[in-house]
Amino acid sequence: MRCRALPRGLTGAAIALLLTYPSAAWSEDVVAATQATAPAIDGADTAFVMISAALVMLMTPGLGLFYGGMVRRKNVLATFQQSFIMLGVMTLQWILYGYSLAFSPDAFGGLVGGLSWVGLSGVGLAPSSVADYGPTIPHQLHMVFQGMFAVITPALMSGAFAERMKFSAYLTFSLLWATFVYDPVAHWVWNPDGWIFKLGALDFAGGLVVHVISGIAALCCVLVMGRRKGLGEEEMHPHNLTMTALGTALLWFGWFGFNAGSALAANSRAVAAFVNTNAAAAAGTACWAAIEWVHKGKATVLGACTGAVAGLVVITPAAAFVTPFSAILMGLAVCFLCYGAIMLKSKLDYDDSLDVFGVHGVGGAFGAVAVGIFAVKNIVPGVSSPGGLLDGHANQLGIQALSLGAAAAYSFGVTFILLKFVDLVIGLRVDADDEEAGLDLSQHGERGYIMGVGEFLGGGHPLEREIVEGVHSREVEALASASK
């Protein structure tokens, strides 16, 4: 059958319609289908986690200031560098293979991830297929947020052996420790394939993964390395508590990203974590000051700073699982435990320079157990979470204790092996002369404070005099040149 011809202009319009309309309709159908099947990135969640990651990043140089103010003047730069350098070294480790070991699909019985995500292969800008990694944020954002935790955790240990480890040994040990301790434990606790995750342990933002394993490793380090030269015979009080106070403020500020950001979304869990973080830190600050006031007659700035950090440490695993009142109770209780641990340090005769084990080890351990006591079942509306002992779920306390024991034992044992290896290959400690001169000069060739050559006319270490006199002579030459 023949079709009647259409007018020429109408024919052209009909052809154009046939060419464009089905194509447009098909495109709309494809877009709609794609949007229906692809995970949606939420702009608010993405912005919130990006800001949280930046806050956690700020904690590492903040930690450097916190520790730097508590050492002697001749070690301030070296102590700061032990924190700051981790931003470079650990970020590279995390991108190259650390994130894969911690968060990629399991490779060995819930103990460690595989190498499928090495170099961020398969870690793109779409949300991860693993819902626990944030269904509304890009996968790379989860990677960089968790990377900031990987950065600060080895840095936490540095306060324990401050003023006596070689810089080369520190870098080597930190890389090995992150690879063989941090990455596997992060897999255990935060990867859905990890055995502690499957056990049902609660660790919202790193009580086990960050504070327990770093605090226990710090204790191992000081036991292996021994005491600082001149401890008990020389003046070793903090040289700049103003710096320590500033570092504490940065840590408190960054900890909101640390804990609230672990919700991986701008939601009610993040709010709960934010409020509880502030409540526990406040309780720790006030309680430590009160304990000192009663015990020593004065409430020191260093004590208030230490109490704040202890409160922040203890609430980390429990941040989104407890009420604000419970957070306050935890912040109060941890101060008595950490204060007692620090008081026992001299009697047990180990030299934890800046009380890393006393605060992070003891405080983190108590927090990991306390969440099994104070957790409230399904405390955040619409989010399933287990309750603790006081909520009628005594088994959660047992799960927390088992997880704590496993993480602590693993960290201590592997740390001991790594320390012995590094000591054999490189040597852990600086020699006696370098320790006397200070690590600023002996390890980095710099001084935190140039006070003038007159300061050293009556003595001082030869290396220190050489550096200062060199700076002074260059200043004189520059002035002479400028006057011509």
Side-chain angles (χ1 to χ4, degrees), residues 284 288 310-311 314 329-339 359 362-363 366:
W288 202 291
V314 76
L329 292 179
M330 292 172 66
L332 295 174
V334 76
C335 289
F336 290 94
L337 293 172
C338 292
Y339 192 89
V359 175
V362 174
F366 175 65

Side-chain angles (χ1 to χ4, degrees), residues 258-269:
F258 198 90
N259 286 356
S262 292
L264 299 177
N267 56 24
S268 298
R269 295 186 83 189

Side-chain angles (χ1 to χ4, degrees), residues 334-356:
V334 76
C335 289
F336 290 94
L337 293 172
C338 292
Y339 192 89
I342 293 172
M343 291 296 102
L344 283 173
K345 182 176 67 173
S346 59
K347 295 183 179 180
L348 297 176
D349 197 31
Y350 67 90
D351 183 17
D352 180 358
S353 303
L354 308 180
D355 298 316
V356 178

Side-chain angles (χ1 to χ4, degrees), residues 40 96 110 112 119 178 195 226 287 347 359 366 403 405 442:
L96 292 176
V112 70
W195 74 271
C287 185
K347 295 183 179 180
V359 175
F366 175 65
S403 303
S442 66

